[in-house]
Amino acid sequence: MDKLLIIMDPKHKHQTALSRGIELARATGASLEIVAFVHEYLDALPADPVVQNNARTALIELRQEWLEKMLALADCDDLNVVAHTVWAKQIHQWINEHCERENISTVVKTGHRSETFLYTPTDWHLIRECPAPVMLVADNKWKKAHPILAAIDLSSEKPVKRALNNRIIDHAWRLTKAMDTDLHLVHALHTSVVLADLDIIDTAAHTRKREEELKPRIEHLRNTWHLNPEQVHIVAGPAQKVIPSVANKIKADMVVMGTTGKTGLAAKVVGNTAEKVLTHLRTDLVAIKPAEKE
């Protein structure tokens, strides 16, 4: 990792993203860019551009003072840090454009895990649109020797899906090396609940058949990444339940998974697996999009 972008959250009591980003930077040698955002509607002020500009400048300076206090408390003088405050209403737009320009390795942000149909939080926008991997951190502290779980999709024959699997595993593997912990893989064997309830399919038999079909791929992954059998989890069920369940079972500190980047109405109605997982997950999530060229 070359450069981490940490997004501060003035509304959050504990600056978990800051502490997590600092810990990650120390482990990987990455530099840090730390950004605080501020935006207020100034309609109540006179329309005079000078007055408006002075108000905006005062608000930016106030937020910058807060940011510098947070950094002083974080004690990160040993790291390469750039910290600044940005005036922006649409935070995700600024982040997405900045990641494109600056080649950010990972965005680190506190995760807000709620959504309504009419309101899409910044987190969901970043998962769907951000060109850089996005780490949404939970309140839990990292524990030594707790593994990192990479969620992959072994069922697809599409080259883009297979390439994304490789990106997910590679990213998770590099994190495990930096954090001196173990890599685990999980694949959810999806079975139609409706067909199972109607006894149209034998769920157990279907699961055994799919596991047998996937054996060559699983063996290839184990040999490539030097994994023991207990480090690969093939579990029947919907991904949004299987992934958090396995993460909890192995006490993972982090889950790394892909996102298709659906946007618009399709994303609201169908959703991305990463977003569904996030609502159940109680640990950090790193969401990775397919590479542009894929």
Side-chain angles (χ1 to χ4, degrees), residues 75-91:
D75 189 22
C76 53
D77 292 340
D78 58 311
L79 299 173
N80 182 8
V81 177
V82 174
H84 57 109
T85 297
V86 172
W87 181 275
K89 179 182 178 182
Q90 299 294 339
I91 293 175

Side-chain angles (χ1 to χ4, degrees), residues 47-107:
D48 185 343
V50 174
V51 174
Q52 296 266 331
N53 185 64
N54 288 342
R56 186 162 52 246
T57 300
L59 288 168
I60 291 173
E61 289 176 350
L62 187 64
R63 182 55 51 82
Q64 184 67 22
E65 289 177 9
W66 170 82
L67 174 57
E68 291 171 1
K69 287 179 182 177
M70 293 299 102
L71 292 181
L73 292 171
D75 189 22
C76 53
D77 292 340
D78 58 311
L79 299 173
N80 182 8
V81 177
V82 174
H84 57 109
T85 297
V86 172
W87 181 275
K89 179 182 178 182
Q90 299 294 339
I91 293 175
H92 67 278
Q93 290 182 2
W94 186 93
I95 295 172
N96 292 342
E97 293 168 2
H98 190 71
C99 287
E100 288 279 9
R101 290 194 306 268
E102 300 297 326
N103 197 26
I104 299 295
S105 301
T106 301
V107 175

Side-chain angles (χ1 to χ4, degrees), residues 259-285:
T259 173
T260 57
K262 292 188 181 76
T263 58
L265 186 59
K268 292 181 182 294
V269 175
V270 179
N272 291 307
T273 302
E275 296 170 14
K276 295 176 181 177
V277 167
L278 188 60
T279 61
H280 297 281
L281 198 63
R282 293 296 173 262
T283 189
D284 296 357
L285 173 75

